[in-house]
């Protein structure tokens, strides 16, 4: 696969098209905008379905290995901690600090699984990415309210 072919994938092209529309102030017709919004609303559910399908190929016992918690620990604890310390050090206003810290504490994106499935033929990588999304989403049920509360104490 050539460098041009790798860099001119639909995601990259979409970013440049979006920047073009933003900079020029052009707008899509309402019909096209509505169709695109409707398609965008399906992305998260489809990503979760892809995670579930990927996880379904393996026994549940395999998912309980510690290696599948690594990315979850980084995403749900380490990154928000860094932003918490930065918000505290810069004396960020409470409302802004809560927004920044909660955004940093959001779970791993399901897009990671889609990229793994598309670009990495190794089934173990696909399973690890799906497991990370699963654990990160599950743990974020508790960590997002925790980070919200901690950011409010700043």
């Amino acid at each position: 696969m050539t460098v041009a072919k790798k860099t001119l994938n639909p995601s990259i092209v979409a970013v440049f098209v979006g920047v073009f529309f933003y900079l020029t102030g052009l707008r899509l017709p309402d019909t096209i905008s509505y169709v695109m919004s409707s398609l965008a609303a399906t992305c998260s559910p489809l990503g979760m379905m892809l995670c579930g399908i990927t996880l379904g190929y393996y026994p549940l016992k395999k998912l309980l290995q510690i290696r599948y918690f690594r990315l979850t620990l980084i995403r749900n604890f380490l990154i928000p901690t860094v932003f918490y310390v930065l918000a505290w050090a810069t004396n960020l206003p409470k409302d802004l600090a809560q927004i920044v810290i909660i955004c940093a504490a959001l779970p791993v994106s399901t897009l990671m699984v889609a990229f793994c499935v598309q670009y990495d033929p190794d089934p173990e990588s696909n399973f690890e990415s799906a497991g990370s999304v699963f654990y990160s989403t599950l743990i974020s049920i508790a960590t997002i309210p925790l980070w919200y509360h901690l950011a409010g104490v700043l």
Side-chain angles (χ1 to χ4, degrees):
M1 192 179 265
T2 66
V3 173
K5 209 173 197 181
K6 284 183 180 179
T7 49
L8 287 178
N9 65 51
S11 300
I12 301 296
V13 172
V15 168
F16 285 114
V17 169
V19 169
F20 171 77
F21 275 97
Y22 174 75
L23 292 176
T24 61
L26 293 174
R27 292 189 46 148
L28 291 172
D30 288 340
T31 307
I32 295 174
S33 182
Y34 175 75
V35 169
M36 290 181 72
S37 295
S38 298
L39 286 173
T42 66
C43 288
S44 243
L46 287 175
M48 288 299 194
M49 286 175 58
L50 180 60
C51 287
I53 290 168
T54 304
L55 290 173
Y57 285 115
Y58 299 90
L60 184 61
K61 187 175 183 180
K62 181 177 171 117
L63 189 60
L64 298 176
Q65 296 176 8
I66 193 70
R67 66 184 285 185
Y68 302 117
F69 287 99
R70 289 183 299 201
L71 185 58
T72 300
L73 293 174
I74 292 169
R75 182 67 180 136
N76 292 66
F77 294 102
L78 181 64
I79 293 174
T81 301
V82 168
F83 279 92
Y84 184 86
V85 170
L86 288 172
W88 173 78
T90 59
N91 205 17
L92 210 57
K94 179 181 170 181
D95 293 344
L96 188 55
Q98 286 177 321
I99 292 169
V100 169
I101 293 167
I102 289 172
C103 285
L106 291 175
V108 175
S109 173
T110 57
L111 192 57
M112 181 178 74
V113 180
F115 282 146
C116 265
V117 166
Q118 184 172 1
Y119 296 112
D120 190 355
D122 179 26
E124 185 61 31
S125 295
N126 297 339
F127 182 71
E128 186 170 357
S129 66
S132 296
V133 170
F134 172 74
Y135 281 127
S136 182
T137 303
L138 189 64
I139 289 173
S140 71
I141 293 169
T143 58
I144 290 175
L146 171 73
W147 285 112
Y148 177 79
H149 174 71
L150 290 174
V153 176
L154 277 177

